Amino acid sequence: FFRQSIQFFIATAVEYLATNGHLLQSIQENIIERPCDFLRIIIPSLIYLLQNSVRYVAISNLTAPIYEVTFQCKLLTTAVVSVLMLQRRYSAKQWACLVILVVGVSVVVLGAHEESKGGGVKNQNEKDGANSENLFLGLIAITVVCLCSAFGGVYFEKVLKRPTSEGGQYRAPVSMWMRNMQMAFFSVCFALLNMMRESDREQSGEMDNDNNPITKPFMHGFTKCVYFVILLQAGGGLLVAAVIKYADNVLKDMATGVSILLSTIVSTFLFGTILSLQFAFGASIIVASVYLFSNDVPCSRCAKSSDEDNEMEMRPMLPS
């Protein structure tokens, strides 16, 4: 709720500056006079709501390493959905880079879990045994999460980049900040409905098996660090929208894979994490796949005689 509220106010402020103070006129043109276009944004909002709900099911039925590794398959699902919805073309080399990147991120994540697990092999094995009967449910849930992530992101990219039509006339795409306002508005509405539902459960006094309240009071456990994380997530959400606007969802997910690599490196300075050879191997795969995805193989660069195929690959969706 707080993250989406902050995103709404930031996007509103930037839209006010971008329109030179004509925010009300922008709202009139893009929301009140075009309600159908405005309601299109409810689709990715509902998809992300479903994704966040199903993610808890996946986490509850999968061990942390399995969840982290299978979640990286969103790279491939995003690329497939981009081909289907946006008619985007990728070369065989780029598909290979995506698969290799998934492998590299998986190697890094598994290496990090092995280091943090330490002597807790027995407890982890017990947890694996407890969750084995729900493994199928967890895999189904993580598949739904990957598909929701891909479809929601690609649909939002399509809305951001494609021109809209009105009365047979095409109009320029709505500004990124107005789209962020619309997305945050629906997300805040859904969060308020969920808060009302949780409030009813809290008043009913439901208890778990340990005789503790199932629901906690609003803002339970909030500290200064929590508020700081919320601010970071709100700013990160707006940056993600900018990446989708000026690049695409596949590059966004590739950047997420690189962020896992960078966060692990930073943790060595902040928390004394020891990097293993497995991490070095996975990091090399990530760096190589990200570079080769957007660049030619050095040995074949001089042998290329035509750039026509490159122009088709990753062509941005600019209005015609």
Side-chain angles (χ1 to χ4, degrees):
F1 172 77
F2 283 111
R3 179 169 66 90
Q4 296 297 334
S5 299
I6 293 173
Q7 286 186 5
F8 177 79
F9 287 116
I10 293 177
T12 302
V14 178
E15 177 70 11
Y16 177 84
L17 297 175
T19 56
N20 297 320
H22 298 89
L23 176 63
L24 295 179
Q25 180 180 349
S26 179
I27 294 176
Q28 174 76 22
E29 294 177 353
N30 297 303
I31 297 179
I32 299 177
E33 294 180 357
R34 306 166 66 190
C36 293
D37 182 72
F38 170 56
L39 292 176
R40 292 172 60 191
I41 302 300
I42 200 173
I43 296 178
S45 300
L46 287 173
I47 291 174
Y48 287 134
L49 176 65
L50 175 64
Q51 174 188 340
N52 292 330
S53 300
V54 177
R55 181 178 293 182
Y56 289 108
V57 179
I59 294 174
S60 301
N61 293 281
L62 296 175
T63 59
I66 295 178
Y67 170 80
E68 292 289 350
V69 171
T70 52
F71 186 58
Q72 304 310 319
C73 292
K74 66 178 181 178
L75 272 165
L76 300 177
T77 56
T78 301
V80 172
V81 174
S82 296
V83 171
L84 296 177
M85 292 185 61
L86 305 180
Q87 291 77 49
R88 186 164 286 147
R89 294 178 56 184
Y90 297 101
S91 65
K93 180 200 70 174
Q94 290 175 316
W95 284 110
C97 288
L98 290 175
V99 174
I100 293 173
L101 179 62
V102 172
V103 174
V105 174
S106 301
V107 170
V108 169
V109 170
L110 289 176
H113 280 292
E114 288 292 333
E115 292 293 331
S116 62
K117 185 171 60 176
V121 177
K122 181 179 180 181
N123 293 335
Q124 184 66 31
N125 290 335
E126 292 176 354
K127 184 177 180 181
D128 290 343
N131 286 337
S132 59
E133 59 182 0
N134 294 322
L135 178 62
F136 179 74
L137 176 61
L139 293 177
I140 292 296
I142 198 64
T143 302
V144 174
V145 169
C146 291
L147 292 175
C148 287
S149 175
F151 184 76
V154 173
Y155 182 88
F156 188 59
E157 179 183 352
K158 183 176 181 179
V159 171
L160 273 178
K161 294 181 176 179
R162 286 263 173 101
T164 57
S165 60
E166 181 179 356
Q169 296 182 349
Y170 283 94
R171 296 182 53 177
V174 180
S175 72
M176 179 183 67
W177 303 110
M178 175 57 67
R179 289 303 190 193
N180 274 292
M181 285 176 56
Q182 297 171 353
M183 175 84 78
F185 172 79
F186 286 117
S187 299
V188 169
C189 291
F190 293 145
L192 287 175
L193 291 176
N194 186 60
M195 288 168 55
M196 294 172 60
R197 183 178 63 86
E198 293 295 331
S199 178
D200 294 338
R201 292 184 61 188
E202 182 181 349
Q203 294 176 1
S204 65
E206 297 182 32
M207 299 290 180
D208 58 14
N209 296 332
D210 297 328
N211 203 28
N212 295 321
I214 293 180
T215 58
K216 303 295 183 181
F218 183 60
M219 297 181 65
H220 173 78
F222 271 54
T223 62
K224 293 181 179 179
C225 291
V226 174
Y227 286 113
F228 181 68
V229 171
I230 292 174
L231 287 174
L232 289 178
Q233 290 182 339
L238 296 175
L239 289 176
V240 166
V243 171
I244 294 175
K245 172 69 175 179
Y246 299 108
D248 58 51
N249 276 277
V250 173
L251 291 180
K252 180 206 69 173
D253 288 339
M254 295 186 74
T256 302
V258 176
S259 70
I260 295 176
L261 169 64
L262 294 178
S263 61
T264 306
I265 295 176
V266 172
S267 68
T268 61
F269 300 99
L270 297 180
F271 309 111
T273 303
I274 301 176
L275 302 182
S276 62
L277 292 176
Q278 183 175 347
F279 171 84
F281 176 69
S284 301
I285 293 177
I286 293 174
V287 173
S289 60
V290 170
Y291 175 80
L292 294 177
F293 183 84
S294 300
N295 297 275
D296 295 329
V297 179
C299 61
S300 63
R301 183 175 301 171
C302 297
K304 208 164 193 182
S305 60
S306 175
D307 294 329
E308 294 178 0
D309 292 338
N310 274 346
E311 292 176 359
M312 293 298 299
E313 296 171 10
M314 300 291 294
R315 176 176 292 178
M317 291 178 50
L318 297 177
S320 56

